[in-house]
């Protein structure tokens, strides 16, 4: 419905969105969205799209009887509820073992760990077997080397070994001892080229 004239123009309902209502260019420009898979903005990263399918049918191994069967009231989620009852059985058989008595133990040496006693030295005889107690003397050990490249606790300078002149490509080289062409095996073509198809009958 049009209103009365206001000066040289008459107010009327707007026919579309007004650009002044938007702080951005608004509907004047259309930018592709950044959600979805179809029509995605090519300047933005797009995550891989996956298709959703329906739920899988239950397998025969996972199907439970359901409410078809009667479950006793004593069955709980943690197992069968059994009230405490007295169990009458025969006397268990025990094996007769010969265990040591109180007189088999000697507690006298333990007194020095329990009571405060004065220091005392024990006098014993020299052991008969001296071979096990013989320790090596000072002349048995050898000290690590100090000079040379392979030292333990000192810094060594680079060491070079002097050797003779090589006979390679010299006038003294015996070319008769070099292997000939027949000394090497033939290399299969399938090693460095595309392998040909192989079929067995």
């Amino acid at each position: 419905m049009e209103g009365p004239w206001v000066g040289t123009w008459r107010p009327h309902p707007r026919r579309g969105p007004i650009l002044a209502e938007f702080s951005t260019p608004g509907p004047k420009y259309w930018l592709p969205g950044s959600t979805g898979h179809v029509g995605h903005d090519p300047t933005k990263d797009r995550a891989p799209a996956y298709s959703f399918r329906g739920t899988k049918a239950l397998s025969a191994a996972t199907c439970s009887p359901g409410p078809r069967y009667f479950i006793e009231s004593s069955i709980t989620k943690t197992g069968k509820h059994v009230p405490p009852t007295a169990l009458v059985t025969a006397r268990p058989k025990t094996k007769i073992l010969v265990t040591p008595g109180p007189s088999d133990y000697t507690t006298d040496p333990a007194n020095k760990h329990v009571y405060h006693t004065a220091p005392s030295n024990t006098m014993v005889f020299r052991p008969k077997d001296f071979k096990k107690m013989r320790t090596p003397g000072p002349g048995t050990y050898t000290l690590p080397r100090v000079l040379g490249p392979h030292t333990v606790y000192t810094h060594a300078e680079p060491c070079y070994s002097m050797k003779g002149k090589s006979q390679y490509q010299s006038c003294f080289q015996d070319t008769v001892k070099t292997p000939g062409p027949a000394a090497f095996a033939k290399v299969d073509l399938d090693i460095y080229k595309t392998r040909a198809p192989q079929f067995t009958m």
Side-chain angles (χ1 to χ4, degrees):
M1 177 183 295
E2 297 180 355
W5 286 89
V6 179
T8 59
W9 62 284
R10 179 182 291 178
H12 58 80
R14 61 182 184 180
R15 300 184 181 86
I18 301 174
L19 187 61
E21 295 180 353
F22 303 95
S23 59
T24 59
K28 184 177 181 180
Y29 301 99
W30 180 83
L31 298 176
S34 59
T35 59
H37 188 75
V38 180
H40 193 277
D41 190 355
T43 61
K44 304 293 184 181
D45 294 334
R46 183 174 61 183
Y50 302 95
S51 59
F52 292 91
R53 53 170 301 188
T55 57
K56 296 182 179 179
L58 297 176
S59 60
T62 58
C63 292
S64 60
R68 178 180 177 184
Y69 301 96
F70 173 74
I71 301 176
E72 297 181 2
S73 59
S74 61
I75 302 299
T76 62
K77 63 178 183 179
T78 57
K80 187 175 182 180
H81 175 70
V82 180
T85 56
L87 184 62
V88 180
T89 58
R91 180 178 293 178
K93 296 181 179 180
T94 57
K95 296 181 179 180
I96 299 175
L97 298 177
V98 180
T99 58
S103 61
D104 292 338
Y105 299 97
T106 304
T107 58
D108 295 338
N111 293 333
K112 62 181 181 180
H113 299 286
V114 179
Y115 303 104
H116 294 285
T117 57
S120 61
N121 298 326
T122 57
M123 301 293 291
V124 296
F125 293 99
R126 181 176 295 180
K128 297 180 180 180
D129 190 5
F130 286 98
K131 294 182 179 180
K132 296 181 180 179
M133 300 182 64
R134 289 180 181 176
T135 57
T140 309
Y141 302 97
T142 57
L143 297 176
R145 56 184 301 179
V146 181
L147 300 177
H150 302 288
T151 58
V152 179
Y153 55 89
T154 58
H155 295 284
E157 298 297 332
C159 182
Y160 303 96
S161 59
M162 303 294 290
K163 60 179 297 185
K165 187 178 180 180
S166 176
Q167 298 293 334
Y168 179 70
Q169 292 184 351
S170 66
C171 60
F172 301 103
Q173 183 182 8
D174 190 2
T175 56
V176 180
K177 297 181 180 180
T178 57
F184 300 98
K186 182 181 178 181
V187 181
D188 194 2
L189 295 177
D190 294 338
I191 295 178
Y192 56 90
K193 286 190 175 183
T194 305
R195 184 184 297 274
Q198 299 177 356
F199 302 95
T200 57
M201 297 297 294

